[in-house]
Structures are given as C-alpha cells and as structure tokens.
C-alpha cells in the first residue's frame, strides 16, 4: 500500500486555507439574545411576526 500521508496533509491544508480560514471571523461582534415564550403551538404567523 502506498503512503499518501503527504498528499492528504496537502489537501487538508489547502481546504483549510481556501475554504475554512476565510470564513472565520477574527474580531468578535456584540450579540444580543432574546427569548419569546410562545403561547402555544401552532402560533399564527401574524402573532409570531
């Protein structure tokens, strides 16, 4: 069997560099989280909006 470790590592590095790292935000942004207790299911669209 061939040892393709180098090829695999190169592919992984390329995916990280080209696809994953560009999508990672390096500076955090403030976030507000709120909750709405639904009165029951299903909630009418007008009430949900």
């Amino acid at each position: 069997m061939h040892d393709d470790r180098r090829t695999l590592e190169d592919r992984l590095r390329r995916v990280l560099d080209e696809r994953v790292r560009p999508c990672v935000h390096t500076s955090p942004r403030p976030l507000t989280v709120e909750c709405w207790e639904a009165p029951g299911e299903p909630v009418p669209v007008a009430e949900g909006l």
Side-chain angles (χ1 to χ4, degrees):
M1 189 118 194
H2 298 289
D3 183 12
D4 293 330
R5 182 181 178 118
R6 175 65 188 222
T7 303
L8 176 63
E9 289 175 348
D10 288 342
R11 287 180 182 171
L12 288 170
R13 191 172 295 109
R14 189 171 62 247
V15 169
L16 278 171
D17 291 340
E18 294 177 3
R19 297 177 184 245
V20 177
R21 287 190 177 113
C23 295
V24 175
H25 298 282
T26 56
S27 59
R29 301 283 185 236
L31 176 67
T32 301
V33 178
E34 296 180 7
C35 174
W36 175 63
E37 294 291 332
E41 296 289 336
V43 175
V45 174
E47 187 176 348
L49 293 174

